[in-house]
Amino acid sequence: MTDKTDFKKTLDAYQAGRGQFRIVDVPDTRYLMVDGHGDPNGAPAFTGAIEALYPVAYKLKFASRRDLGRDYVVPPLEGLWWAEDMDSFTARRDKARWDWTLMIMVPDWIGQDLFTAAVEQAGARNRPSRLDEVRLATLSEGRCVQTLHVGSFDDEAEVLARLHGEFVPGNGLRMVGRHHEIYLSDFRRVAPERQRTILRQPVAAASGA
């Protein structure tokens, strides 16, 4: 039996502490991705994205164990979030205006051929409505600031205000890229007050810093 890798335990990019802002250099990482727009609580596209991502992710896991002898725990769901006016995300929480990309990390030893086969297998029966929109792509974030938020997604605003308005400028940095969330808890099963989410913001040196 092969050892099973749990990336939440082995990768530094999945480490964060509650009440702590930590600067971390995130390597280029490949993901299964599906894009969407609108309120995640009411948009059918959001549910459809999750229903398309997980079957492919598990087909890849099983293929890796069977064909490559490398087993792993399917990584957590993640999301990139942005809006034309970012205040609608960080302050007003106007969810109807949000754009998003839902993602599940893919190990670097998984090739395009296994991905193509996994998509075909995921659609063999009970084909997810958004399966054809799943893509395998690389995300390059580089230097980031991240922290662990425990609680409801609607309670993130205060943490984000400290991250964006205090820590980032206070450390000679500026925000680049898109707000990134890593859902360590399954929000379909865990009560909102117990949800654990890594909040990540890519950054770069501020002008003149």
Side-chain angles (χ1 to χ4, degrees):
M1 179 179 293
T2 60
D3 292 333
K4 182 184 294 187
T5 301
D6 187 344
F7 296 106
K8 297 193 302 296
K9 298 178 180 178
T10 62
L11 293 184
D12 186 54
Y14 282 127
Q15 308 308 311
R18 186 179 188 180
Q20 303 172 355
F21 296 112
R22 175 171 175 256
I23 297 175
V24 57
D25 291 314
V26 180
D28 289 357
T29 307
R30 291 191 309 154
Y31 289 92
L32 302 174
M33 298 182 175
V34 178
D35 302 320
H37 173 82
D39 186 345
N41 295 319
F46 190 83
T47 301
I50 294 175
E51 292 173 345
L53 285 170
Y54 272 105
V56 179
Y58 275 95
K59 294 296 184 184
L60 284 176
K61 165 196 163 59
F62 298 144
S64 178
R65 182 177 63 188
R66 179 188 65 242
D67 300 342
L68 306 178
R70 305 185 72 168
D71 197 7
Y72 62 92
V73 177
V74 171
L77 184 71
E78 307 185 30
L80 302 178
W81 299 88
W82 70 101
E84 186 173 345
D85 175 7
M86 276 304 289
D87 280 347
S88 68
F89 181 80
T90 57
R92 297 194 304 273
R93 308 295 284 178
D94 187 358
K95 300 176 183 179
R97 297 178 178 271
W98 293 358
D99 294 296
W100 41 265
T101 299
L102 292 185
M103 316 184 297
I104 297 177
M105 195 200 84
V106 174
D108 57 11
W109 63 77
I110 298 291
Q112 183 68 37
D113 55 341
L114 285 185
F115 166 70
T116 301
V119 172
E120 293 177 355
Q121 293 164 12
R125 59 176 64 180
N126 299 322
R127 185 180 182 84
S129 62
R130 303 196 66 191
L131 182 62
D132 292 340
E133 299 174 58
V134 178
R135 68 184 188 278
L136 179 62
T138 298
L139 179 64
S140 300
E141 292 182 298
R143 180 148 295 182
C144 298
V145 179
Q146 62 189 41
T147 188
L148 178 66
H149 171 67
V150 179
S152 167
F153 300 135
D154 289 331
D155 293 335
E156 291 178 4
E158 181 179 349
V159 179
L160 293 176
R162 291 174 54 207
L163 173 61
H164 296 169
E166 299 175 17
F167 185 89
V168 169
N171 285 271
L173 301 169
R174 59 184 173 88
M175 296 189 297
V176 297
R178 292 169 175 169
H179 174 72
H180 187 162
E181 298 189 347
I182 302 170
Y183 307 110
L184 300 179
S185 305
D186 186 340
F187 52 74
R188 298 167 298 179
R189 297 181 173 88
V190 177
E193 65 273 13
R194 298 176 55 199
Q195 290 169 352
R196 300 169 65 250
T197 307
I198 294 177
L199 307 181
R200 175 186 295 170
Q201 176 61 52
V203 294
S207 299

